[in-house]
Amino acid sequence: THQELLKIGHYTSNVPTERGGGGLDLVMVARRQRLLARYAPAPALATCMHRYWTGAAADLARAGLHDLEFVTTGALEGEILASGHAEAGNDLAVNASTTVAEPVAGGYRLTGRKHFGSLGPAWTLLGAHAMDTSDPDNPMIVHAFVRRDDAGIEVHADWDTITMRASKSYDTVLDSVFVPHDRVGAVVPVGGESPVLGAFFTWALTLISNVYLGLAERAVELAVSTAQLRTSIGLDGRSIAHNPMVQHQVAEAWMALEGVRGQLELLATDWVGGNVGPDWLPRIAAAKHRTAAETRRAVDLATQVVGGSSIRTDSELARLWRDSRGVAFHPPTDALAHELVAKGVLDIDPTGPR
């Protein structure tokens, strides 16, 4: 799948047209990721980690900010980007880090371990964040990119999960890896904001959420076709679509996804149209949280409609059910989403005590 996507320009489709890319905006990319996820959820998810960097770089450039220009150049030259943000012991996502960024002449040295690096066998540039505490009173989060062949990099092929198995989301160990200043996208105070952070967070959560929406849409599609074809002795041989409870389950699943789809479409449309206000972070967090809850509920309902055959290991719906479980573990998780939304709505300092 990776090679096929390379051939059709998938990895540069949201690079600006004037730079030689496809010029797709967030709305168009989100819809395409959603469609891909219907039939190949794990590749759709894995490629989000590349496309959110190239998308953020493109939008920043359109705004006259070239902090991620090297990302655009790299993508056009064939670089494959991945996400290096998940860490053990860090429940604050990119607002904190257990990875150390040590300032040195010409850049930083990064030391830590990153989990869930999708496109594990293929990535060439890993976008990672780390904490610089050289000034204890003003800790900073450094957002930088390490190359796969940098000294001190170890990629561990340890992805063995029940969900999104084909994403090959390997761990990466950083052992005093030197990153020059020209591969640093942003340096932000802990809990602070920056255009880079806002752009990549928006692209990341919108695309990832659309992947899980797409796979849930496919699950409901399978449930509907099964309900129309499967007959019931209790209904005098008519299809189970005539069972009022099945109708209720299908309606519940459909309505759940209709709400998520509308919320994600509005989020992407507002970003592209510049309709971004002070409530943007709560809106992004709320959209991802709702996606996590409703897509899993819709897939669960789909399995109830289809019945016992949905748990066979060779069933498409069984794979979709397993893959749908992954959404809960992408940041912001349930707890962090509620914290971000509440602090935003209540106007509480997000860096204050919890």
Side-chain angles (χ1 to χ4, degrees):
T1 303
H2 169 63
Q3 292 300 326
E4 292 171 347
L5 292 173
L6 272 175
K7 289 178 183 176
I8 63 172
H10 183 76
Y11 291 95
T12 56
S13 63
N14 57 352
V15 170
T17 52
E18 60 270 22
R19 294 294 309 277
L24 301 183
D25 62 25
L26 180 57
V27 173
M28 295 183 281
V29 173
R31 290 172 181 169
R32 283 158 176 77
Q33 292 299 106
R34 188 162 78 228
L35 178 61
L36 177 60
R38 280 174 166 255
Y39 308 104
L45 178 66
T47 58
C48 283
M49 311 311 167
H50 173 98
R51 301 185 91 189
Y52 79 61
W53 283 122
T54 52
D59 281 349
L60 289 168
R62 291 186 187 101
L65 303 172
H66 300 282
D67 307 67
L68 296 180
E69 181 65 25
F70 61 92
V71 166
T72 300
T73 301
L76 290 168
E77 292 175 350
E79 301 277 15
I80 300 297
L81 295 111
S83 169
H85 296 125
E87 301 169 325
N90 177 12
D91 62 342
L92 293 174
V94 295
N95 293 318
S97 183
T98 59
T99 298
V100 175
E102 177 192 0
V104 296
Y108 294 88
R109 288 198 175 274
L110 306 189
T111 300
R113 186 176 187 126
K114 299 293 185 175
H115 303 304
F116 306 156
S118 298
L119 295 168
W123 68 260
T124 59
L125 276 177
L126 182 75
H129 76 296
M131 188 177 294
D132 171 12
T133 58
S134 55
D135 179 354
D137 295 328
N138 295 288
M140 307 293 283
I141 302 295
V142 178
H143 297 271
F145 289 76
V146 299
R147 292 193 179 280
R148 195 184 191 96
D149 57 2
D150 283 340
I153 293 281
E154 260 186 48
V155 179
H156 293 254
D158 53 1
W159 184 243
D160 186 14
T161 63
I162 66 166
T163 185
M164 292 294 182
R165 292 180 64 83
S167 69
K168 300 291 185 182
S169 302
Y170 297 162
D171 278 17
T172 301
V173 175
L174 311 172
D175 184 7
S176 192
V177 178
F178 176 70
V179 182
H181 285 306
D182 62 9
R183 273 194 270 131
V184 175
V187 179
V188 186
V190 170
E193 299 178 357
S194 83
V196 171
L197 207 57
F200 101 70
F201 206 50
T202 298
W203 272 85
L205 294 191
T206 304
L207 295 188
I208 290 168
S209 295
N210 270 278
V211 165
Y212 287 97
L213 172 59
L215 74 85
E217 288 174 338
R218 175 59 178 163
V220 173
E221 185 177 82
L222 290 172
V224 168
S225 63
T226 297
Q228 292 170 331
L229 294 172
R230 181 176 151 204
T231 58
S232 168
I233 192 172
L235 295 169
D236 296 326
R238 291 181 298 165
S239 73
I240 63 169
H242 294 88
N243 183 321
M245 189 60 202
V246 169
Q247 294 170 9
H248 179 80
Q249 290 169 328
V250 169
E252 280 286 300
W254 190 93
M255 289 189 290
L257 299 187
E258 179 67 9
V260 171
R261 188 183 305 112
Q263 188 170 9
L264 293 179
E265 281 280 318
L266 180 61
L267 196 71
T269 301
D270 280 353
W271 175 259
V272 172
N275 185 22
V276 177
D279 63 346
W280 189 248
L281 180 57
R283 286 186 62 192
I284 301 172
K288 189 273 170 179
H289 170 74
R290 187 178 187 190
T291 299
E294 299 289 45
T295 56
R296 283 178 294 166
R297 187 164 75 93
V299 175
D300 287 346
L301 287 165
T303 64
Q304 292 299 305
V305 171
V306 172
S309 65
S310 66
I311 61 173
R312 289 179 56 90
T313 56
D314 60 353
S315 160
E316 180 184 359
L317 188 52
R319 175 176 54 77
L320 292 170
W321 184 89
R322 292 193 303 269
D323 285 346
S324 72
R325 304 303 101 173
V327 67
F329 304 100
H330 295 279
T333 57
D334 179 80
L336 182 56
H338 281 83
E339 180 178 354
L340 292 174
V341 171
K343 286 184 173 179
V345 172
L346 296 169
D347 196 24
I348 295 174
D349 179 6
T351 64
R354 303 180 80 180

